[in-house]
Amino acid sequence: MGKRERSLLAESAGLHEAARGVLADHVRALEAVRAALAPIRAELVGRELESIPVSRLKDVTEGRLRLGALEAAGFGSVRAVYETSRYALRQLPGVGAQTADRALGAARQIARAVEETVSVRIDVDHPEPRTTALVIALRTLVEAGPELRRAVDAATRLDARLGELLPEARPAGGRLGMLLAGRQKRERALAALAALRELTADAGARDVRLLLAQASADLLRTPASELEAWVDFELRSPEYYSQLAEVSEHRSDVAAAEGFLPSEVAERVHAQELDDTRRRVSLRGYQDFGARFALAQRRVVLGDEMGLGKTVQAIAALAHLAADGHSHFLVVCPASVLINWTREIGARSTLRALPVHGAERLEAYEEWRERGGVAITTYDMLHSLPAPDAAVGPDPADVADGPVGPVGAGAKPGMLVVDEAHYVKNPDTRRSKAVAAWAGHCERVLFLTGTPMENRVQEFRTLVRYLQPALLPAIQHGTAAAGPHAFRKSVAPAYLRRNQRDVLSELPALVQVDEWEEFSAADREAYLRAVEDGNFMAMRRAAYADAEKSAKLGRLRELVAEAAGNDLKVVVFSYFKDVLGTVRQALGADRQAQATDQQAAGRLVFGPISGAVPAARRQRLVDDFTAAPGHAVLLCQIEAAGIGLNLQAASVVVLCEPQIKPTMEHQAVARAHRMGQVRPVQVHRLLATDSVDQRLLHLLKNKTRLFDAYARRSDTAEQNPDAVDISDSALARRIVEEEQLRLAKEAG
């Protein structure tokens, strides 16, 4: 035994110390959050207990509790009993020791049940010391990012393993130690030394030391200031709520979060590992389950309600497969979301996203074949791409009329993801046949759709035919008639759906999504004319110049259709009255094409509310929109409807273009996202790449986040929202000049 063995022991001890340091730092961060959370949860529990009459204590004790003396003493609620000591209760006239103990025990039992159900909501517009302390504590965990979970898991494993091996291997640190040890101890020491050598080599190969060092550095950073923490919370609130749910161990209904799957399917999903080394985002519990479901069941439909992050779950599944050695993946989606997929893959994972679209799609496809990554193409382009020739999964004859297009030696995807999968509900269309051909060649296929399938059984049968044809005999119309639980049980091997109300109890009530679209040819022609004329307002609404070919209108129709499928109300904002007229015509035509009663179809779209509409008429439009059963759409000019109207009936907000004044958007969204809103509000901002939209956002974002937050929270800003906005005319001139220069360079 010599220098090499001592060096190995020292290295192992250092690794053990680093692992224990991360675990200790993590515990301190968790305790800081729990300490900040405790008084907030206590107050929430207290409020709930205040609303429960003291008579309910009898229910807990099955009627064995006599409450007359407590009620006579003025105890009207469970909270009053819960917050009173056993000694104080026993001093009340007519209350004996047994009654006091039973009453207090029953109150504590109810309090524990309440504590499991209360959800902490952080009000960013009304910060107070307790929530500020909570946000600051949470920021430490959020800043550490998804790598923190990997570091803690690695540290936990190392701490356990090294804690066993180091004492066993200690005699091998010197000749004397080995001489004094008995034969069995020497054998154990040598075996432990060999295990340490293997463990440290593996840790070195996986950069575990760097992972642990970074985690400790993140956890030991100086706490953020109040302002920094609140600004960061506004930008990344889902990540804060995700950490809050994990720390508080507050969970939504497990059965609902798991889509009411049968136990045997749920157990198989739980057993599926999910590697996060190629992922850059933390997952909510239900999202983690959804990604595992896609991997465990291999060929499935993920049908979560809109706003639950189906894209993120798909990316998590792709990242797992990439970490497992798969190199090629394919995403098929409508053209309107191709840009979003490209951006999301780059932001949420380390995977390489490669759009395969347009005139150079075949060159991009060949690059994908050679280099791998995630190829992203559209339904209209898929049929023209050579499909891989190694068939896996169900017989193509079972899923369509046979392969479509040239079938060449393309790389077989590790997973095929089909977004907005209800687009292929008609098996006779070209797009459906192309998807079927690719699905027949892929072992793993993930269909994404927010449309509830239990209401459209025939469409769902079509989707299952692409995925798991053996399930078709079990999927009949009568199954859906028996209720959603019975339906989901019959299709559990291939279908997972969760609803917002079941799984978003701790998430903020506002989810914002930027919907990036590429100009259609007609859009671009109108835009170039507007830039040439120096017409800023025409540039802003060029994307709606041709309603039939407008990319933004296409995406808006999709959003409204998905909201209709989920019985959600939609409010559409635009600065321009003529844009709203175009939107009304487009949506009205859609409704009339789908409805048998033309008058009923017209009632689905209300407005537009504009400056020319009297205030009383505006309110009547809002009242009619609110009273309409189920889905409806309200069109609003943002300056007219952004202030003073209560639009909380809407849970989906669409902004047709970005606004020059950030406060204008904020106030408009606040019409729906306000006190009394019972559903999470989804805000979709329609944006065009390489356009005034992109320039406008870039210039507005150049103002520092801290200044924005300070100005917005100051008394002056509350009294005069225009105080923090850039001059309209100056901004318009600058954008027009920059766009003219950019397009001139491109032309040259």
Side-chain angles (χ1 to χ4, degrees):
M1 299 296 104
K3 183 177 180 181
R4 188 171 57 180
E5 286 75 17
R6 288 193 293 274
S7 176
L8 175 59
L9 287 172
E11 181 184 0
S12 300
L15 188 60
H16 192 203
E17 183 179 353
R20 296 181 68 179
V22 166
L23 295 177
D25 296 338
H26 187 229
V27 167
R28 280 192 292 271
L30 294 179
E31 288 304 318
V33 174
R34 293 186 181 118
L37 180 62
I40 299 174
R41 289 185 66 85
E43 177 59 26
L44 291 173
V45 170
R47 291 178 191 172
E48 290 291 324
L49 295 179
E50 183 71 36
S51 66
I52 301 174
V54 72
S55 60
R56 295 303 301 273
L57 294 177
K58 279 188 176 181
D59 299 339
V60 180
T61 60
E62 298 180 351
R64 295 193 304 272
L65 184 62
R66 297 179 180 178
L67 296 173
L70 289 174
E71 292 172 338
F75 287 78
S77 69
V78 172
R79 180 177 186 172
V81 177
Y82 177 70
E83 294 181 348
T84 302
S85 69
R86 177 181 285 105
Y87 176 80
L89 287 176
R90 289 180 176 182
Q91 305 308 305
L92 297 174
V95 177
Q98 187 179 47
T99 298
D101 290 349
R102 282 183 175 175
L104 193 56
R108 288 172 177 172
Q109 188 173 342
I110 291 175
R112 284 193 296 270
V114 168
E115 190 170 2
E116 292 177 359
T117 62
V118 296
S119 298
V120 174
R121 296 265 181 180
I122 299 173
D123 188 348
V124 69
D125 293 319
H126 301 91
E128 48 101 15
R130 291 185 302 184
T131 54
T132 298
L134 178 59
V135 170
I136 290 174
L138 284 169
R139 188 172 188 267
T140 298
L141 297 173
V142 172
E143 276 292 288
E147 293 295 298
L148 177 60
R149 172 48 53 197
R150 289 184 55 222
V152 170
D153 289 344
T156 302
R157 291 191 297 269
L158 285 172
D159 183 41
R161 188 68 175 133
L162 290 170
E164 296 173 355
L165 293 175
L166 281 170
E168 291 280 354
R170 191 167 291 118
R175 294 181 181 276
L176 181 60
M178 290 295 280
L179 287 172
L180 294 177
R183 181 175 61 84
Q184 290 184 345
K185 281 190 176 182
R186 284 197 297 269
E187 291 176 353
R188 288 198 300 268
L190 292 173
L193 203 65
L196 287 175
R197 188 174 291 109
E198 182 179 348
L199 189 151
T200 54
D202 178 68
R206 294 188 294 115
D207 289 331
V208 172
R209 278 187 174 277
L210 179 61
L211 179 68
L212 298 178
Q214 184 61 56
S216 281
D218 290 336
L219 291 171
L220 294 175
R221 283 179 181 170
T222 303
S225 69
E226 294 182 6
L227 188 56
E228 288 173 329
W230 277 112
V231 170
D232 195 55
F233 173 79
E234 279 196 75
L235 294 172
R236 299 192 286 177
S237 57
E239 297 177 46
Y240 280 76
Y241 277 103
S242 178
Q243 291 290 347
L244 180 61
E246 186 172 343
V247 172
S248 65
E249 297 181 349
H250 180 84
R251 297 290 183 265
S252 57
D253 184 339
V254 173
E258 296 180 356
F260 302 100
L261 293 179
S263 58
E264 62 273 15
V265 178
E267 288 172 6
R268 186 158 58 248
V269 173
H270 284 299
Q272 168 68 50
E273 294 183 357
L274 186 62
D275 194 313
D276 64 356
T277 56
R278 301 292 301 274
R279 183 168 19 106
R280 287 175 172 160
V281 62
S282 298
L283 301 178
R284 297 284 294 173
Y286 74 88
Q287 293 174 331
D288 179 277
F289 186 86
R292 292 175 190 263
F293 175 80
L295 293 166
Q297 299 300 101
R298 291 180 175 264
R299 304 172 66 84
V300 298
V301 177
L302 180 58
D304 287 345
E305 188 176 8
M306 61 190 301
L308 292 185
K310 293 187 289 294
T311 300
V312 169
Q313 295 174 67
I315 292 172
L318 297 179
H320 169 90
L321 293 172
D324 196 40
H326 293 269
S327 58
H328 292 71
F329 307 97
L330 178 63
V331 172
V332 183
C333 61
S336 58
V337 295
L338 184 142
I339 298 171
N340 281 340
W341 267 101
T342 305
R343 289 170 179 254
E344 286 292 292
I345 289 169
R348 311 293 186 183
S349 74
T350 63
L351 304 180
R352 174 173 174 266
L354 184 64
V356 180
H357 184 58
E360 299 180 354
R361 62 186 180 278
L362 293 179
E363 290 82 353
Y365 178 79
E366 287 302 319
E367 181 183 347
W368 171 70
R369 282 186 56 197
E370 294 175 7
R371 298 183 54 194
V374 185
I376 309 167
T377 193
T378 66
Y379 285 106
D380 293 335
M381 294 292 104
L382 182 64
H383 74 94
S384 65
L385 303 179
D389 52 10
V392 178
D395 187 313
D398 290 333
V399 298
D401 293 337
V404 174
V407 180
K412 186 179 69 175
M415 175 175 278
L416 167 66
V417 178
V418 181
D419 194 15
E420 306 290 353
H422 48 276
Y423 273 44
V424 295
K425 63 186 178 183
N426 182 352
D428 297 325
T429 62
R430 185 172 68 178
R431 67 173 58 161
S432 297
K433 292 178 180 179
V435 167
W438 276 88
H441 293 306
C442 296
E443 182 180 354
R444 295 178 182 84
V445 183
L446 176 57
F447 281 7
L448 307 177
T449 175
T451 303
M453 290 292 109
E454 56 263 38
N455 299 333
R456 297 167 174 83
V457 176
Q458 189 54 47
E459 294 178 13
F460 185 68
R461 285 175 59 85
T462 300
L463 298 187
V464 169
R465 186 175 288 111
Y466 303 137
L467 301 171
Q468 299 188 35
L471 285 177
L472 289 177
I475 307 172
Q476 305 295 339
H477 287 284
T479 309
H485 288 205
F487 174 81
R488 291 175 188 177
K489 184 176 181 180
S490 71
V491 301
Y495 180 50
L496 176 65
R497 177 176 173 84
R498 281 76 57 89
N499 296 311
Q500 288 179 343
R501 62 180 178 272
D502 295 326
V503 297
L504 290 186
S505 57
E506 294 104 8
L507 281 176
L510 185 65
V511 178
Q512 303 189 63
V513 180
D514 284 348
E515 304 279 358
W516 287 96
E517 313 296 334
E518 287 183 337
F519 275 141
S520 67
D523 295 338
R524 179 159 294 281
E525 185 178 343
Y527 184 74
L528 293 175
R529 286 198 304 270
V531 173
E532 185 177 351
D533 295 338
N535 189 333
F536 179 66
M537 291 305 186
M539 289 164 60
R540 293 183 63 200
R541 59 183 188 271
Y544 302 93
D546 188 333
E548 292 297 322
K549 301 176 182 178
S550 167
K552 282 191 179 183
L553 267 180
R555 182 56 181 155
L556 188 149
R557 287 192 189 98
E558 292 169 359
L559 293 170
V560 170
E562 188 167 354
N566 290 283
D567 274 341
L568 302 179
K569 285 186 167 65
V570 182
V571 58
V572 179
F573 286 107
S574 176
Y575 182 84
F576 304 99
K577 188 175 179 180
D578 58 343
V579 168
L580 292 175
T582 302
V583 171
R584 179 176 179 83
Q585 184 177 5
L587 295 181
D590 287 351
R591 294 296 174 275
Q592 291 173 12
Q594 296 172 11
T596 56
D597 181 350
Q598 185 168 331
Q599 185 178 3
R603 285 201 300 268
L604 292 172
V605 182
F606 296 85
I609 293 176
S610 68
V613 177
R617 172 62 179 159
R618 296 183 200 180
Q619 189 58 57
R620 282 198 301 273
L621 283 170
V622 173
D623 293 343
D624 291 344
F625 168 73
T626 302
H631 168 70
V633 180
L634 178 65
L635 307 179
C636 300
Q637 197 168 9
I638 199 164
E639 284 194 308
I643 300 176
L645 293 179
N646 183 346
L647 304 177
Q648 67 187 43
S651 52
V652 178
V653 176
V654 180
L655 298 164
C656 290
E657 70 283 321
Q659 304 305 310
I660 296 176
K661 298 180 179 181
T663 51
M664 192 180 295
E665 284 190 12
H666 177 76
Q667 290 165 347
V669 172
R671 298 307 96 208
H673 180 223
R674 57 183 296 147
M675 182 70 72
Q677 174 60 252
V678 296
R679 309 192 72 146
V681 175
Q682 304 162 47
V683 180
H684 299 267
R685 183 161 53 174
L686 301 179
L687 304 165
T689 58
D690 296 324
S691 75
V692 61
D693 295 352
Q694 199 161 340
R695 292 283 176 182
L696 184 57
L697 291 184
H698 176 71
L699 291 175
L700 294 176
K701 285 181 179 178
N702 275 346
K703 296 188 300 180
T704 67
R705 295 184 303 172
L706 293 181
F707 175 79
D708 279 350
Y710 175 78
R712 194 164 356 107
R713 283 185 170 77
S714 70
D715 292 338
T716 302
E718 291 296 327
Q719 296 168 13
N720 181 17
D722 289 341
V724 299
D725 287 316
I726 298 173
S727 163
D728 290 18
S729 57
L731 186 62
R733 283 196 303 271
R734 181 174 175 182
I735 290 176
V736 169
E737 291 169 0
E738 289 184 357
E739 281 297 272
Q740 288 176 337
L741 180 60
R742 179 181 69 84
L743 292 173
K745 287 182 178 179
E746 289 181 359

